[in-house]
Amino acid sequence: MNKEFGKVAVLFGGTSAEREVSLNSGSRVLAALQRQGVDAHPFDPAEQPLDALKGYDRAFIALHGRHGEDGTIQGALELMHIPYTGPGVLASAAGMDKWRTKLLWQAAGLPVPAYRMLDAGSDFDAVARELGLPLFVKPACEGSSIGVTKVKTAAELRSAYQEAARHDSLVIAEQAVLGGEYTVGILGSGEDMRALPIVKIEPATEFYDYEAKYLRDDTAYRCPCGLSAEQEAAIQAQALQAFRVLGGRGWGRVDFLMDEAGNPYFLEANTSPGMTDHSLVPMAARVAGLDYEALVLQVLALAAND
């Protein structure tokens, strides 16, 4: 038995729209920890009261979406004095909110795609003219591309808004940046925080939607990503800055898009990355020399409180 970490709760499942993805991530994390002798146990907040966590020494958060990635479970763990994986309350809350993430990144001078906030009274034709077509419409506080629509004509914009508004009261219209989609995994805390190799994502679908992420086998992932060593290093440095601006620690992921001229635009941060067999951080870690078991152990070792 690996006694270094004590009794560990692997939190997965939950009540968000990403429950199924979380069950997949968490079951894999749990099995990897148990294979390495860690006294790890499953814990689904949708099925157990949070006070049942009393007596655990550490928590591995494999929850995705609302109530798991937005600072709420992090706050509960803080109150119980249980160290947990990933960023703290503030960074988790900010990272879950794509609009406020953009505001913080813009204030720090990081490039983001042009965007506008939408509501039922928006002048949709004016938004389409300003941002250009195609564009993307998305809920501000959902993950896994839930509620996201690629809008190709101005006539589609209102219905795309209505679909996103089913998931969140905050809805973003975002300029399409079409030179490639990439992600940067982040691992470590403080001065030891580092960026993992960049992964390029090439979906066979219109964009990297829920189906392309979790259900299809024809999405291509390139790692090495094809960028020059100098360009990759520069973008990794920006991704680290983006994660630090949010207050990130432990581990996470920063997604960015590239335009046709090779300029990056930072899209969003993920403070509880997926750990499924399609997930991107394990893929990048493997290229960096960390297999899945080593990755989960390192993430668990970085567990902390604010």
Side-chain angles (χ1 to χ4, degrees):
M1 181 67 69
N2 185 336
K3 297 182 179 180
E4 177 184 354
F5 305 110
K7 186 179 180 183
V8 175
V10 179
L11 276 61
F12 60 105
T15 57
S16 81
E18 298 179 75
R19 175 176 171 82
E20 292 304 316
V21 180
S22 175
L23 288 169
N24 189 347
S25 284
S27 62
R28 287 172 57 83
V29 167
L30 178 66
L33 291 174
Q34 290 175 340
R35 281 196 298 270
Q36 297 176 93
V38 176
D39 184 20
H41 303 263
F43 193 100
D44 186 344
E47 298 177 353
Q48 297 167 265
L50 290 183
D51 63 7
L53 285 168
K54 292 174 182 175
Y56 282 92
D57 299 297
R58 197 170 290 225
F60 193 116
I61 299 176
L63 295 163
H64 306 315
R66 296 175 193 268
H67 306 134
E69 197 173 349
D70 60 359
T72 53
I73 195 70
Q74 289 79 8
L77 292 166
E78 292 282 342
L79 289 171
M80 288 185 278
H81 306 288
I82 300 172
Y84 55 89
T85 57
V89 175
L90 175 61
S92 298
M96 188 70 194
D97 187 326
K98 297 179 182 65
W99 176 40
R100 290 173 174 85
T101 292
K102 291 178 190 298
L103 293 174
L104 289 167
W105 285 350
Q106 285 177 303
L110 290 160
V112 301
Y115 67 95
R116 289 293 175 267
M117 302 304 294
L118 299 180
D119 59 39
S122 293
D123 184 337
F124 293 106
D125 289 334
V127 170
R129 286 193 300 271
E130 183 178 354
L131 296 181
L133 293 167
L135 58 80
F136 289 92
V137 175
K138 58 184 69 174
C141 297
E142 281 290 356
S144 293
S145 298
I146 291 167
V148 178
T149 303
K150 184 177 182 179
V151 173
K152 298 180 182 178
T153 68
E156 300 169 352
L157 190 48
R158 183 178 293 276
S159 62
Y161 161 75
Q162 291 169 341
E163 169 60 22
R166 289 178 51 239
H167 301 277
D168 193 11
S169 60
L170 289 175
V171 176
I172 302 172
E174 189 173 74
Q175 176 189 35
V177 179
L178 301 174
E181 186 164 354
Y182 301 79
T183 194
V184 187
I186 309 290
L187 188 61
S189 292
E191 293 301 314
D192 294 327
M193 188 182 292
R194 64 188 175 112
L196 296 173
I198 294 175
V199 179
K200 183 178 185 184
I201 304 153
E202 297 177 349
T205 49
E206 279 278 339
F207 65 99
Y208 194 42
D209 58 9
Y210 187 95
E211 182 181 353
K213 287 177 177 175
Y214 304 115
L215 304 178
R216 299 176 67 110
D217 292 322
D218 55 359
T219 302
Y221 301 98
R222 312 292 182 197
C223 191
C225 64
L227 300 176
S228 70
E230 294 77 13
Q231 190 174 20
E232 180 163 10
I235 293 171
Q236 285 173 315
Q238 283 185 298
L240 284 170
Q241 181 190 0
F243 197 60
R244 287 190 169 112
V245 162
L246 298 179
R249 63 146 198 247
W251 74 316
R253 211 184 69 227
V254 175
D255 300 337
F256 70 95
L257 304 170
M258 197 82 82
D259 68 11
E260 287 81 353
N263 301 305
Y265 291 83
F266 288 91
L267 192 61
E268 61 189 77
N270 189 313
T271 57
S272 182
M275 291 293 282
T276 73
D277 55 357
H278 283 64
S279 293
L280 300 165
V281 173
M283 196 179 304
R286 190 163 56 246
V287 173
L290 278 177
D291 64 17
Y292 192 94
E293 279 76 9
L295 174 63
V296 297
L297 215 58
Q298 188 163 335
V299 169
L300 184 61
L302 289 164
N305 292 105
D306 269 348

